[in-house]
Amino acid sequence: MGVEGIAAARRLLVALDFDGTVAPLVDDPSTSRATPDAAAAIARLRALPATWVAFVSGRPLDALVQLTESGPDALLVGSHGVEVSIRGELAPVELNDDERARMARLEAALTELVTAVPRARLETKPVGYGVHTRLVTDTERVPPLQQAAREAADMVGGFTTRLGKDVIEFSVRDVTKGDGVRMLRELLAAEEGGPVAVLYAGDDVTDEDAFAVLGAGDLGVKVGAGETRATERVADVEAFAGLLHRLASAREASVAHH
Ligand SMILES: [Mg+2]
């Protein structure tokens, strides 16, 4: 499926990584913005019927809202798939029965461990738990607490562990940009009552997870060098803006025929 082919899709989701895809990489990430050319192409696409533009980024959702200058109708996936915002509504993270059961078992085990260590705190997250130890004064108790928490998670099984500063986190779901893209597609398909084709573009390793969820009727575009699953490649941000304009032109023509 090439650009002209996907432009003819009945319903089209254009899901875009931000940094390095529509916005050049800059030294101060807070100043990064989409190029005027990319922004113009995105505006053309957004003006078309049955066409949606979403941003899928590793950035936290609140930063992504600022950087993309998103309005209330935005479709955004932040934190590599953990945070999904649909037109200003934070989509609830839906756990399946198995995940819920494993969450409950881990919560019971961690609650017991945390209660036994003064000033340790258990944080409940949408897809996991954090054991916080910043306020624990008897610091000798921290390593054994973290070790016991790891063992509890291993016992329940299926948790991803991330050790941070004064916190150890367990996630029941190893969420990726691919999960974010899949969720956006499913939500739009349910709303619109039919299948939605996806064009996904990105420049980084984490974008490969999104390319991996694309099917035969979709199109993956890799921006820049590096190994990729995507079937289409452009050299840089500027060339990708050109591709978005080609997509917009082809889709405008296709819509005019229907
Ligand atoms: Mg990027």
Side-chain angles (χ1 to χ4, degrees), residues 63-75:
L64 194 58
V65 170
Q66 301 285 316
L67 298 170
T68 59
E69 296 168 345
S70 285
D73 61 340
L75 304 172

Side-chain angles (χ1 to χ4, degrees), residues 95 99-111 114 121-132 159-162 167-172:
L95 298 174
E99 289 170 331
R100 255 197 297 274
R102 283 187 290 128
M103 288 273 287
R105 286 176 60 197
L106 184 60
E107 179 169 19
L110 292 180
T111 301
V114 165
R121 184 171 70 83
L122 183 65
E123 178 194 11
T124 303
K125 296 165 162 260
V127 295
Y129 298 96
V131 174
H132 293 266
F159 283 90
T160 303
T161 307
R162 288 187 195 86
V167 63
I168 186 164
E169 292 179 294
F170 303 95
S171 174
V172 77

Side-chain angles (χ1 to χ4, degrees), residues 23-38:
L25 300 174
V26 290
D27 289 339
D28 176 2
S30 69
T31 64
S32 131
R33 287 292 180 280
T35 62
D37 201 23

